[in-house]
Amino acid sequence: MNVEHEVKLLIKEIQRLGKQGDDELYSVTFGVLFADEQCANIFEALVGTLRAAKRKKVVTYEGELLLQGVHDNVPIKLLKDSL
Protein backbone atom coordinates (compact mmCIF):
# COMPACT_ATOMS: atom_id res chain seq x y z
CA MET A 1 0.00 0.00 0.00
CA ASN A 2 1.43 3.37 -1.05
CA VAL A 3 0.51 5.66 1.84
CA GLU A 4 1.23 8.93 0.04
CA HIS A 5 -0.96 7.90 -2.89
CA GLU A 6 -3.78 6.88 -0.52
CA VAL A 7 -3.58 10.20 1.34
CA LYS A 8 -3.75 12.12 -1.96
CA LEU A 9 -6.88 10.15 -2.87
CA LEU A 10 -8.34 10.88 0.56
CA ILE A 11 -7.81 14.62 0.02
CA LYS A 12 -9.80 14.44 -3.24
CA GLU A 13 -12.61 12.45 -1.61
CA ILE A 14 -12.92 14.86 1.32
CA GLN A 15 -13.13 17.74 -1.15
CA ARG A 16 -15.76 15.86 -3.18
CA LEU A 17 -17.95 14.87 -0.22
CA GLY A 18 -17.25 17.69 2.22
CA LYS A 19 -18.35 21.24 2.60
CA GLN A 20 -16.20 24.31 3.07
CA GLY A 21 -16.65 26.06 6.37
CA ASP A 22 -16.18 29.71 7.29
CA ASP A 23 -12.46 28.95 7.65
CA GLU A 24 -12.37 27.84 3.97
CA LEU A 25 -11.38 24.29 5.06
CA TYR A 26 -13.29 21.25 3.86
CA SER A 27 -14.96 19.07 6.46
CA VAL A 28 -16.87 15.80 6.22
CA THR A 29 -18.13 13.37 8.85
CA PHE A 30 -16.61 9.93 9.19
CA GLY A 31 -20.00 8.34 8.53
CA VAL A 32 -20.34 10.07 5.14
CA LEU A 33 -16.83 8.97 4.10
CA PHE A 34 -17.34 5.42 5.35
CA ALA A 35 -20.75 4.96 3.70
CA ASP A 36 -19.73 6.40 0.32
CA GLU A 37 -19.57 3.70 -2.35
CA GLN A 38 -16.73 5.34 -4.26
CA CYS A 39 -14.63 5.58 -1.08
CA ALA A 40 -15.37 1.95 -0.28
CA ASN A 41 -13.99 1.00 -3.69
CA ILE A 42 -10.88 3.18 -3.33
CA PHE A 43 -9.80 2.54 0.26
CA GLU A 44 -9.06 -0.93 1.52
CA ALA A 45 -8.45 0.45 5.00
CA LEU A 46 -10.08 3.87 5.35
CA VAL A 47 -9.29 4.10 9.06
CA GLY A 48 -5.61 3.39 8.41
CA THR A 49 -5.49 6.00 5.67
CA LEU A 50 -7.12 8.55 7.98
CA ARG A 51 -4.59 7.81 10.73
CA ALA A 52 -1.70 8.22 8.27
CA ALA A 53 -3.17 11.51 7.02
CA LYS A 54 -3.56 12.71 10.60
CA ARG A 55 0.09 11.87 11.38
CA LYS A 56 1.11 13.90 8.29
CA LYS A 57 -1.10 16.77 9.54
CA VAL A 58 -3.25 16.65 6.41
CA VAL A 59 -6.48 16.09 8.35
CA THR A 60 -7.59 16.51 11.93
CA TYR A 61 -10.31 14.81 13.95
CA GLU A 62 -10.97 13.96 17.58
CA GLY A 63 -9.63 10.69 18.91
CA GLU A 64 -7.19 8.14 17.54
CA LEU A 65 -9.33 5.38 16.09
CA LEU A 66 -12.64 5.95 14.31
CA LEU A 67 -15.18 3.13 14.29
CA GLN A 68 -18.17 2.87 11.97
CA GLY A 69 -21.42 3.48 13.82
CA VAL A 70 -19.84 4.82 17.00
CA HIS A 71 -18.00 7.71 15.35
CA ASP A 72 -20.22 8.42 12.34
CA ASN A 73 -20.78 12.04 13.41
CA VAL A 74 -17.11 12.87 14.04
CA PRO A 75 -16.03 15.68 11.69
CA ILE A 76 -12.83 15.21 9.70
CA LYS A 77 -11.30 18.52 8.70
CA LEU A 78 -8.94 18.81 5.75
CA LEU A 79 -5.96 20.99 6.73
CA LYS A 80 -3.97 20.77 3.46
CA ASP A 81 -5.13 20.34 -0.12
CA SER A 82 -1.92 18.60 -1.19
CA LEU A 83 1.03 16.68 0.25
Side-chain angles (χ1 to χ4, degrees):
M1 175 170 102
N2 182 342
V3 176
E4 273 195 32
H5 178 69
E6 294 259 326
V7 171
K8 287 178 183 176
L9 292 174
L10 179 64
I11 290 168
K12 289 180 183 173
E13 293 306 306
I14 292 173
Q15 289 171 333
R16 180 177 66 86
L17 295 168
K19 291 181 170 59
Q20 277 186 305
D22 293 338
D23 54 9
E24 306 269 326
L25 300 176
Y26 283 91
S27 182
V28 65
T29 63
F30 177 66
V32 169
L33 265 182
F34 194 88
D36 184 72
E37 192 173 322
Q38 188 169 325
C39 284
N41 291 330
I42 293 172
F43 303 107
E44 232 176 89
L46 177 60
V47 173
T49 303
L50 283 167
R51 289 184 73 189
K54 187 174 183 179
R55 278 194 303 272
K56 293 179 179 289
K57 300 194 184 322
V58 173
V59 300
T60 188
Y61 55 86
E62 274 193 41
E64 282 297 311
L65 183 67
L66 297 175
L67 301 172
Q68 195 262 331
V70 178
H71 299 111
D72 282 354
N73 294 323
V74 172
I76 299 166
K77 188 175 278 195
L78 185 62
L79 300 174
K80 298 179 184 175
D81 59 3
S82 65
L83 272 181

